[in-house]
Amino acid sequence: MPRIVMKFGGTSMAGIERIRHVAGLVKREIESGNQAAVVVSAMAGETDRLVQLCREAASLYDPREYDVVVASGEQVTSGLLAITLQGMGLNAKSYMGWQLPIRASGHAAALIDHIDAEILESVFEQGGIAVIPGFQGVTAAGDLATLGRGGSDTSAVALAAAMKADRCDIYTDVDGVYTTDPRIVPRARKLDMVTYEEMLELASVGAKVLQTRSVGLAMRYNMPLQVLSSFEDLSGTMIVGDDEIEDGLMERNVITGIAHDKNEAMVTLTGLPDRPGTVAAIFAPLAGANINVDMIVQSVPRKGEPSTLTFTVPNASLAHAVAALDEAKEAIGFAELITDTDVVKVSAVGVGMRSNAGIAAKMFQTLGDRGINILAITTSEIKVSVLLPEDYTELAVRVLHTAFGLDAEDAA
Ligand code: ADP
Ligand code: ASP
Ligand code: MG
């Protein structure tokens, strides 16, 4: 019997009417002969509300307690979906992360170590449906842990791997993966297929339709992943291995998609001593505080003169980063610490970049022509990212989308 995981995002779970609709989609899969585990997100906006409450309680909150607060949203929706499915005559039951268990390490961005599929096997044997809250696990100490924002996608894929599912379906509020966020660029085009590698890069630079880690996991386990709408009965986007779309590659654009991420904060340290060990003295305390640094730009005006270092961290880590740097101020020896949260990272991604020079140049030219100033740059084999003032987000994404030939053909 085919086995699937169905994951429903926040908008799909936002209220009893929508949950009823989701229950109908689950029923349809069961009636067509599938075994299904269902992973749910908190209702749209709920996790934001809970995170905000933690921030109001204390700006440097304890991650263990943060997890206790934010994991609650998924507990509510999994119970509600199980009740709704039972009301439709289906044999459904919810299982919290600690009940399966979903073992995880860390807090606030915990990593899944292991999922025990034993309970699920017996649920399926009895023809039942398991409803599982996304985003949560349990630590070795028995504490609640959450997997980072958007983490229900990762819960779903990890569960699919653990129960050896045939497919993992991610139901959301758009009908697939587009060439860019269709809410920003109406001319965005839906992609029928994307490679794991491209999706990984797109997600990591802000295409939040899938959490990056979920794509990495799907790639590792070769788990077919499908992104589709819970609102409309349309075909979605399949995320698959390179070999499965090789035939169509010649026809594809050099650039697969444009993504943006407003969740970056820029930190600048001025008056740094120009000597070995300065950069290490800055990043060691940040690493110690578990802060991910992304873009880095250093400028040394002239040998021996004080230099400036600029880098970005996730917005959510900014307060912790500033605290860690202030504490190490003497050891580093900087003059001033300046922060700016009004920035956006815009990235172009595509495996075609490997064999095509000039992508970065075209990107800089396109932005320059529009008078958009670039604050920082990073590149990888299949990606170019630029940091820009946040006000230019929509304009930058739109002009790059057009410049790289991604606009839908039928767009006006
Ligand atoms: P869910 O609550 O279902 O997990 P998310 O809000 O996390 O949904 O992700 C879906 C959203 O991702 C869409 O509403 C869309 O605005 C955004 N998005 C960003 N980039 C893309 C893209 N390239 N393709 C599709 N959606 C995208
Ligand atoms: N509810 C969590 C969030 O909003 C997890 C998820 O929806 O994937 O980040
Ligand atoms: Mg999501």
PDB file of all heavy atoms in Angstrom, residues 7 9-10 41 150-151 153 172 208-211, ligand 3:
ATOM      1  N   LYS A   7       1.718  17.336   4.481  1.00  0.00           N
ATOM      2  CA  LYS A   7       2.003  18.423   5.428  1.00  0.00           C
ATOM      3  C   LYS A   7       1.177  19.651   5.057  1.00  0.00           C
ATOM      4  O   LYS A   7       1.121  20.042   3.884  1.00  0.00           O
ATOM      5  CB  LYS A   7       3.498  18.746   5.421  1.00  0.00           C
ATOM      6  CG  LYS A   7       3.887  19.872   6.360  1.00  0.00           C
ATOM      7  CD  LYS A   7       4.087  21.197   5.643  1.00  0.00           C
ATOM      8  CE  LYS A   7       4.206  22.367   6.590  1.00  0.00           C
ATOM      9  NZ  LYS A   7       4.465  23.641   5.898  1.00  0.00           N
ATOM     10  N   GLY A   9       0.475  23.716   5.815  1.00  0.00           N
ATOM     11  CA  GLY A   9       1.039  24.930   6.399  1.00  0.00           C
ATOM     12  C   GLY A   9      -0.005  25.760   7.142  1.00  0.00           C
ATOM     13  O   GLY A   9      -1.197  25.415   7.174  1.00  0.00           O
ATOM     14  N   GLY A  10       0.464  26.863   7.693  1.00  0.00           N
ATOM     15  CA  GLY A  10      -0.355  27.700   8.581  1.00  0.00           C
ATOM     16  C   GLY A  10      -1.634  28.231   7.951  1.00  0.00           C
ATOM     17  O   GLY A  10      -2.696  28.236   8.592  1.00  0.00           O
ATOM     18  N   SER A  41       1.064  22.555  10.682  1.00  0.00           N
ATOM     19  CA  SER A  41       1.645  23.786  11.243  1.00  0.00           C
ATOM     20  C   SER A  41       0.631  24.416  12.187  1.00  0.00           C
ATOM     21  O   SER A  41      -0.553  24.060  12.171  1.00  0.00           O
ATOM     22  CB  SER A  41       1.911  24.809  10.133  1.00  0.00           C
ATOM     23  OG  SER A  41       3.035  24.464   9.404  1.00  0.00           O
ATOM     24  N   GLY A 150       9.533  27.797  10.060  1.00  0.00           N
ATOM     25  CA  GLY A 150       9.281  26.996   8.863  1.00  0.00           C
ATOM     26  C   GLY A 150       9.598  25.520   9.055  1.00  0.00           C
ATOM     27  O   GLY A 150       9.591  24.730   8.110  1.00  0.00           O
ATOM     28  N   GLY A 151       9.859  25.130  10.310  1.00  0.00           N
ATOM     29  CA  GLY A 151      10.369  23.791  10.605  1.00  0.00           C
ATOM     30  C   GLY A 151       9.411  22.632  10.384  1.00  0.00           C
ATOM     31  O   GLY A 151       9.835  21.466  10.380  1.00  0.00           O
ATOM     32  N   ASP A 153       8.081  21.815   7.692  1.00  0.00           N
ATOM     33  CA  ASP A 153       8.493  21.154   6.438  1.00  0.00           C
ATOM     34  C   ASP A 153       9.525  20.078   6.758  1.00  0.00           C
ATOM     35  O   ASP A 153       9.480  18.966   6.217  1.00  0.00           O
ATOM     36  CB  ASP A 153       9.131  22.163   5.476  1.00  0.00           C
ATOM     37  CG  ASP A 153       8.172  23.268   5.068  1.00  0.00           C
ATOM     38  OD1 ASP A 153       6.970  22.994   4.984  1.00  0.00           O
ATOM     39  OD2 ASP A 153       8.644  24.395   4.825  1.00  0.00           O
ATOM     40  N   THR A 172       0.443  24.005   0.594  1.00  0.00           N
ATOM     41  CA  THR A 172       0.619  25.369   1.091  1.00  0.00           C
ATOM     42  C   THR A 172      -0.376  26.306   0.427  1.00  0.00           C
ATOM     43  O   THR A 172      -1.401  25.848  -0.094  1.00  0.00           O
ATOM     44  CB  THR A 172       2.106  25.796   0.895  1.00  0.00           C
ATOM     45  OG1 THR A 172       2.294  27.089   1.446  1.00  0.00           O
ATOM     46  CG2 THR A 172       2.522  25.785  -0.576  1.00  0.00           C
ATOM     47  N   LYS A 208      10.858  31.085   1.023  1.00  0.00           N
ATOM     48  CA  LYS A 208      10.454  30.384   2.244  1.00  0.00           C
ATOM     49  C   LYS A 208       9.368  29.323   2.015  1.00  0.00           C
ATOM     50  O   LYS A 208       8.835  28.766   2.968  1.00  0.00           O
ATOM     51  CB  LYS A 208       9.994  31.378   3.291  1.00  0.00           C
ATOM     52  CG  LYS A 208       8.715  32.087   2.923  1.00  0.00           C
ATOM     53  CD  LYS A 208       8.148  32.811   4.127  1.00  0.00           C
ATOM     54  CE  LYS A 208       6.764  33.333   3.779  1.00  0.00           C
ATOM     55  NZ  LYS A 208       5.954  33.618   4.909  1.00  0.00           N
ATOM     56  N   VAL A 209       9.064  29.038   0.757  1.00  0.00           N
ATOM     57  CA  VAL A 209       8.048  28.025   0.475  1.00  0.00           C
ATOM     58  C   VAL A 209       8.446  26.666   1.074  1.00  0.00           C
ATOM     59  O   VAL A 209       7.585  25.863   1.437  1.00  0.00           O
ATOM     60  CB  VAL A 209       7.737  27.974  -1.047  1.00  0.00           C
ATOM     61  CG1 VAL A 209       8.957  27.625  -1.865  1.00  0.00           C
ATOM     62  CG2 VAL A 209       6.583  27.065  -1.360  1.00  0.00           C
ATOM     63  N   LEU A 210       9.742  26.413   1.220  1.00  0.00           N
ATOM     64  CA  LEU A 210      10.219  25.213   1.927  1.00  0.00           C
ATOM     65  C   LEU A 210      11.357  25.601   2.863  1.00  0.00           C
ATOM     66  O   LEU A 210      12.222  26.405   2.476  1.00  0.00           O
ATOM     67  CB  LEU A 210      10.762  24.182   0.926  1.00  0.00           C
ATOM     68  CG  LEU A 210       9.748  23.421   0.088  1.00  0.00           C
ATOM     69  CD1 LEU A 210      10.471  22.585  -0.971  1.00  0.00           C
ATOM     70  CD2 LEU A 210       8.875  22.515   0.946  1.00  0.00           C
ATOM     71  N   GLN A 211      11.377  25.036   4.058  1.00  0.00           N
ATOM     72  CA  GLN A 211      12.522  25.290   4.936  1.00  0.00           C
ATOM     73  C   GLN A 211      13.754  24.600   4.329  1.00  0.00           C
ATOM     74  O   GLN A 211      13.676  23.449   3.893  1.00  0.00           O
ATOM     75  CB  GLN A 211      12.266  24.766   6.357  1.00  0.00           C
ATOM     76  CG  GLN A 211      13.265  25.377   7.359  1.00  0.00           C
ATOM     77  CD  GLN A 211      13.320  24.652   8.702  1.00  0.00           C
ATOM     78  OE1 GLN A 211      13.203  23.437   8.765  1.00  0.00           O
ATOM     79  NE2 GLN A 211      13.540  25.396   9.779  1.00  0.00           N
TER      80      GLN A 211
HETATM   81 MG    MG B   3       6.378  27.293   5.712  1.00  0.00          MG
END
